[in-house]
Amino acid sequence: MKIFKTLIEGKNCWANFDGTTRRLGFFTTRTAHGLDATQAEKAIRLKLDQELDSILLNSQDDPPEIILSMLTEIDSETASGIPDAGCTWYPEDPSNPN
């Protein structure tokens, strides 16, 4: 199996890390094994959805936007240096949704 990595950006993510619920965005990098990039993307999305399930407070009519950049094939040594969890969060400016 091949190993793929991708940079992920999340937008419109409602969360409460400090006692205040607010809209945040995040960046993270993830890796996954797969026969091809499509299979790896499915694995990445599934695992990320499971991780974010306990964090995100979005209502069903206001879902987060999860954007994966192009998946790139990497070797196992490179993959071992990429964390398998966690995100870098930033506050989204409500006056500038894009």
Side-chain angles (χ1 to χ4, degrees), residues 48-69:
L48 185 63
D49 286 348
Q50 291 170 347
E51 180 181 343
L52 295 176
D53 186 51
S54 64
I55 298 170
L56 297 184
L57 305 171
N58 292 62
S59 65
Q60 289 201 320
D61 61 334
D62 187 22
E65 181 180 357
I66 308 297
I67 306 156
L68 276 70
S69 65

Side-chain angles (χ1 to χ4, degrees), residues 3-7 29-32 70-74 82:
I3 304 172
F4 295 88
K5 77 169 185 171
T6 186
L7 175 66
T29 302
R30 290 293 193 276
T31 63
M70 186 174 77
L71 276 78
T72 305
E73 188 176 347
I74 58 173
I82 298 173

Side-chain angles (χ1 to χ4, degrees), residues 15-93:
N16 179 348
F17 291 114
D18 59 3
T20 303
T21 300
R22 57 188 167 162
R23 189 170 63 175
L24 303 169
F26 70 85
F27 286 100
T28 190
T29 302
R30 290 293 193 276
T31 63
H33 290 82
L35 296 173
D36 57 26
T38 301
Q39 189 180 53
E41 180 179 343
K42 287 179 185 178
I44 288 168
R45 286 189 182 275
L46 178 64
K47 188 166 184 179
L48 185 63
D49 286 348
Q50 291 170 347
E51 180 181 343
L52 295 176
D53 186 51
S54 64
I55 298 170
L56 297 184
L57 305 171
N58 292 62
S59 65
Q60 289 201 320
D61 61 334
D62 187 22
E65 181 180 357
I66 308 297
I67 306 156
L68 276 70
S69 65
M70 186 174 77
L71 276 78
T72 305
E73 188 176 347
I74 58 173
D75 60 44
S76 59
E77 184 177 340
T78 303
S80 68
I82 298 173
D84 199 28
C87 301
T88 300
W89 296 90
Y90 63 88
E92 283 194 352
D93 179 1

